[in-house]
Every structure is written in C-alpha cells, then in structure tokens.
Amino acid sequence: MGTLIVTEAELRACLPLDKGALAAVEQAFTWIEEGCVSMPPVMHIDVDADSAVDTKGAFVEGLDHLAVKIATGFFRNPQKGLPSCSSTIALMDAKTGLFDCVFLDNGYLMDLRTGLAGAVAAKHLAPQDVDTVGVIGTGVQARYQIESLALVRSFKRVVVYGRHPGRVSDYCLDMAERLKIPVEPLESIEELVKAAQIVVTTTQATEPLVSAEWVHPGLHITAMGSDLPGKQELESEILRRADLVVCDTLAQCKIGGEIQHMARANIDRDVIELGAFTSGARQFERTQQSVTICDLTGTGAQDTAIAAEALARIKREGLGTLVG
Amino acid sequence: MGTLIVTEAELRACLPLDKGALAAVEQAFTWIEEGCVSMPPVMHIDVDADSAVDTKGAFVEGLDHLAVKIATGFFRNPQKGLPSCSSTIALMDAKTGLFDCVFLDNGYLMDLRTGLAGAVAAKHLAPQDVDTVGVIGTGVQARYQIESLALVRSFKRVVVYGRHPGRVSDYCLDMAERLKIPVEPLESIEELVKAAQIVVTTTQATEPLVSAEWVHPGLHITAMGSDLPGKQELESEILRRADLVVCDTLAQCKIGGEIQHMARANIDRDVIELGAFTSGARQFERTQQSVTICDLTGTGAQDTAIAAEALARIKREGLGTLVG
C-alpha cells in the first residue's frame, strides 16, 4: 500500500514537453468524443476577486487510474514574487479508489497539458505552412503554448504583445533562446494579428482584445485564456464570421469559454468539439481563405491523460517517494 | 516552500476523537450559518454503479488555509479485503494558494468529521437523558457515530441492527470494549427504533428502513447515510410528522439527503440548517413529546474545519514530512 509522492522536479525530469506528452493530451480529446469519459463540471471555490481554486477530474474507461487535479490561481502572487498558479494531482486506482500517487506538480502538469492542448488544436486546424506565430500575453502559458506549437508546426518567427515592456523583453529573450528563431515584440494587437497565421491568446481579459476587423484569410486563433464566466479575449463577431469554431468541451466552453458570449451577440452557429478531429470522425480541409478558431478551457480528461502518462514514466524510472 | 505530507498514522496520533475535534466540526456549521464560507456543490465522478469519487471543499474567511478533500467510495472493496472509502485532503495557503500540506488520511479525517457531525446534531437537538442509543448499520460510521455521541451524551446501552450476523457480533464486541457499556444486537429495526431515544442510520439504503409507525415521542434520529440522489433511510412521512427537521446544508440535502424525497411525498415544511443551533441563533426546547430529525450529507466546511484542526496539531507536534 502507501502513496507515491512525486515532486515537480521529478515530473519535469521524466516528462518534458515532448511528442509522447502531446499524444497523451491528444488522446484525451478522443476519449471525450468516444464517450468513455465521466467528467463532472469544474468545482470552483471563490476566495476573492483575484483568487480561486478550481478542481477538475475525470474517469476514463479502460485506464488504470483516474485523476483529480486541484488548481489554484492567485493572481496577486506575482506582486509577492510567487507564481500565480499551482496544482496538486491525486491519482486513484480505478478499480479500488485507493490513492496510489500524489503529484506535487506546482502547476507543471497543468501548464504542460494546457500548452499541449493548443498544439493539438493547431495540429488539426491550423494552416500547414506557418511563417509567423503571434502570442498575446507574456506569462507561463504564452511560453508553453508556443513551445508546444513547435511540436506540430515549423514556424520561422514569433511576435508577441504584452502590456508590460519588461515582461515582453524577458519573453523575447527567453523564447528566442529556447526556439532558436526570432521572437519580436509588436506595439499593438492589431499589428500582431495581421502579421500572423496562428494567433494564441493567453490572457485573463474580461473585454475583447482581438477585433474582428483584424482577422484575415488563412488565420487560425487558439483562445485559451477564457475559462470562467465573464472572461473574453475575442470579439464575438469573430466567432460569427469564422469558417470553423471548435472547442474542447461544449459543456465547459458555454459557461466559461469564448462561446459563452455568442448568445448575447445573437450568434447561433455550429461549434464542434476538438475530439471530433482528433478521433478522425471529422476533418477540416483548409483553403487559403479559411479562418478557424479554437476555444479552450481545459478539461479534467486532459488532467487524467497527462497524469497517466507521467505515472507510467515515473514508474519506469523508479522515481517518487512511497509514504504511508 | 515544499509541501508537508502527513500520513494517516500521524493524523490518528495527534487527532483522536476528542472534544477539540468536536469543537472544530461544530464551528464549521456556525461558519456556514454566518455566511463566511465559500462552498461549491460537490464534484461527483461516477466510476460505475458501486464506485464514485466525491470532491468537496470550502474557503472560510479568516482561516489560514482552505481545504479540498477527494474522497473515494468503492463499495465492492470489502469483497477484496479493502476498505470501501478512502480520502486525501490538500490544504492550501489562503493568501497564496500554495499547497502547504497533503493529508494521506485514507478516510480517517472524513470518518472523524462525519461522526462528529452526528454528535454536534445530538448535542443541540437530542434529549438530555438518554438510556439507549440505536444504530442501524455495522460499518465504519456505525462506530464513529456512536463513539462521537459519547462525547455529548451519557447513554447506558447501545442496540444495533445489521443484515450480516457476523458483522453485528463483531460490532457488539468491538464497541462494548471501547464504550465499556452493553452493546446488543436486535432482530429488527422496529424493535431498535422503539427501544432507543437516539437512532443513528448509517447505511447505503435506497429504500426507507425506518417506518413512521415506529417513531415515538422523545426520539431523535440522525440520518447520515443518504448523501446522493436516490439514497433514502427514513420513510418521508417521518419528516412530515417530526417537530423539527434539521439538515447540514439545505443546498446539499435537497439533492442527496433525506429531504430530497419530501417534494415527491407532498411534504412542504421548514427545514433548518444545523448552524442555526450551533451559532446560538436558534434553540430547540425539547418536551417529552418532541421528535427531531437531523439529515446529514457532509460538507466541505467540515473538511476544512477538521483539516485546520489537524494541521494545527501536526505543526505543534512537528509531525509530517516536507517534500518538494
């Protein structure tokens, strides 16, 4: 018996941002599509206007474990020199419910699976030939999204927009070093959207940042910042005009994603879950004119998928400390 | 930094079933009454007909930590020689969201806070003079409920009803040893209800076990088994006839407690939350004739309360292992 306690350092050592991790997260969307996931609504605990705890979880038929992830977002932390987000994941034996493993991942696996979901979206929806990728925001996900994207598309340049010049220049230095390509700041979101074939929005915005007027043929946008009621990064008109709007799960996105705002804007259109594409049930054939949007809120199935992948590697390498 | 990992053995050593633990759980109901608790609905993951994972949590204003508890109920486990229920509790710093502590309590704190909630109910609602306590069921809560009750009432005898003779006799031997009073099996629930001044129901029943015909003046019933839709231990007519019906939280009990069945039985009556009594906002003056019912489903506030009490004691005694 006992529970294997695994630290962030151990998880980082055995599960970097790689193609195996990508495949695990991609699989999660297929599971949802195939109806083999039991995934309740997110449990949201409000602490104050800037701080909350969100718990997600999913049972996937056929997997040895199910996972529940407790994730904190305390957005005044950076003022104290602390990261905004952290998380802990518990893995239970799917046959007995016993707690086999606790990942003290401090948000690492959450960052990974969130970034990789953006890559899964781009893999199935974005143009094949991408010169420039634009990212709005300079935080942790602005990094993970673009590093993940590099697993599925060979782009030549990254452009970034952020409100804080110091953070923008840190981002450019850091990411140019990691990606070995130019990473350049732009002065406006308009410039950024117009310059890029893929745009990823990674902010906490509650008012649209991206105007429909800037959207151009051949653009794919992944909007991953909005995950709670009231958040919004894209002008709703973008969703009306797009050739294809995809989301991770309709149930969550209607509450907290970009598509929560469609009804108010009188937009009534098909929104398709990403799993339809990862499972092969659907394909989208882009033309030069296509505009595609993917609305991501993050699912418990992704957490279970990345946790299962991590556990397999932890066991293979004999990491973790057995306690209890 | 780092996270303090605390085992079941350490928790048992520093936090037995005592008056301090009782006071902590009692406080939880007052917090709910006073509106200083942010407590979302339970996150319920279905695994199969006999197995599920329920996650509860609460933020309480003024506390140093908030807690989220992941609890598993796998009811085929006893056939494998394993306990049905387990749990893990994460404690986060209420100011930063960082994971200060993980309790690998294997259900211990859940058992404790659930048993103690029954004692809180009895303290405020049950007759002062109790000769006989009746318990329906022979599992873990049949033990914790009665041991907890002994903190608030001096009873002389326990009578028990269970479906499995072997478990009934184990229960009688075990509890007579712990309580140092007679603990006797009865052949029927009818006999048991008629013989007792306090009855505690601790089963997974989905059909009423206790008939309204057996209810007599001077009886207090705590029904703690029903906590999910479809569960029921008391005939609804009992709720109609009782002088007072109390519950832990209306929001949860209307979904999963005994009172979920009131509407179907055309019963429209006041149900008062237990916090009204623990806070002193209300008092109930029993007469010889009074019949009172308390419907308990278990709240995230109780989990946060018992976890905070445990953490204080763990720190005082220097227990736990810092990891990460």
Side-chain angles (χ1 to χ4, degrees), chain A residues 38 46 72 77 80 95-97, chain B residues 38 46 72 77 80 95-96:
Chain A
S38 169
D46 265 321
T72 61
N77 276 3
K80 306 170 193 166
K95 295 214 163 41
T96 64
Chain B
S38 169
D46 264 322
T72 61
N77 275 3
K80 307 170 192 165
K95 296 214 161 41
T96 65

Side-chain angles (χ1 to χ4, degrees), chain A residues 37 96 156 169 188 201 205 232 301 315:
Chain A
V37 177
T96 64
K156 300 190 182 69
S169 62
S188 75
T201 62
Q232 183 171 17
K315 286 192 168 171

Side-chain angles (χ1 to χ4, degrees), chain A residues 125 220-221 234 236-248 250 253 258-259 262 267 269-274 277 282 284 291-295:
Chain A
L125 307 174
H220 171 77
I221 303 177
L234 308 184
S236 294
E237 188 61 23
I238 295 173
L239 303 176
R240 191 197 313 268
R241 296 189 197 169
D243 296 288
L244 179 69
V245 177
V246 173
C247 71
D248 50 16
L250 283 164
C253 289
E258 291 297 325
I259 66 172
M262 288 205 317
I267 300 169
R269 65 160 299 152
D270 277 354
V271 177
I272 298 164
E273 292 190 349
L274 186 50
F277 300 94
R282 280 179 184 251
F284 181 69
V291 171
T292 51
I293 310 295
C294 188
D295 181 15

Side-chain angles (χ1 to χ4, degrees), chain A residues 49-63:
Chain A
D50 298 319
S51 312
V53 179
D54 281 309
T55 303
K56 296 181 181 182
F59 166 67
V60 181
E61 281 168 34
L63 252 61

Side-chain angles (χ1 to χ4, degrees), chain A residues 2-156:
Chain A
T3 301
L4 194 68
I5 307 296
V6 182
T7 65
E8 179 188 353
E10 291 171 314
L11 290 163
R12 284 184 185 272
C14 76
L15 186 61
L17 199 59
D18 64 18
K19 293 211 169 176
L22 177 72
V25 171
E26 187 169 17
Q27 184 67 43
F29 295 103
T30 302
W31 290 333
I32 295 172
E33 176 74 10
E34 292 176 347
C36 58
V37 177
S38 169
M39 187 166 66
V42 179
M43 186 177 93
H44 178 79
I45 302 176
D46 265 321
V47 174
D48 61 37
D50 298 319
S51 312
V53 179
D54 281 309
T55 303
K56 296 181 181 182
F59 166 67
V60 181
E61 281 168 34
L63 252 61
D64 290 340
H65 290 87
L66 71 160
V68 170
K69 182 200 65 185
I70 307 166
T72 61
F74 280 59
F75 293 99
R76 291 191 305 275
N77 276 3
Q79 298 163 20
K80 306 170 193 166
L82 294 172
S84 295
C85 298
S86 190
S87 63
T88 286
I89 302 179
L91 282 95
M92 291 141 273
D93 184 302
K95 295 214 163 41
T96 64
L98 296 180
F99 288 82
D100 279 352
C101 195
V102 172
F103 292 157
L104 302 172
D105 74 313
N106 296 329
Y108 174 64
L109 293 184
M110 180 166 61
D111 291 338
L112 208 59
R113 67 81 154 146
T114 304
L116 288 165
V120 171
K123 176 180 171 185
H124 292 276
L125 307 174
Q128 287 297 331
D129 296 321
V130 178
D131 180 80
T132 299
V133 171
V135 59
I136 304 174
T138 56
V140 173
Q141 271 305 309
R143 289 166 162 79
Y144 277 94
Q145 288 290 334
I146 304 307
E147 275 200 90
S148 300
L149 203 54
L151 293 173
V152 299
R153 289 292 183 275
S154 297
F155 43 90
K156 300 190 182 69

Side-chain angles (χ1 to χ4, degrees), chain B residues 23-42:
Chain B
V25 172
E26 186 168 19
Q27 184 68 43
F29 295 103
T30 301
W31 290 333
I32 296 172
E33 175 74 10
E34 292 176 348
C36 57
V37 177
S38 169
M39 187 166 67
V42 178

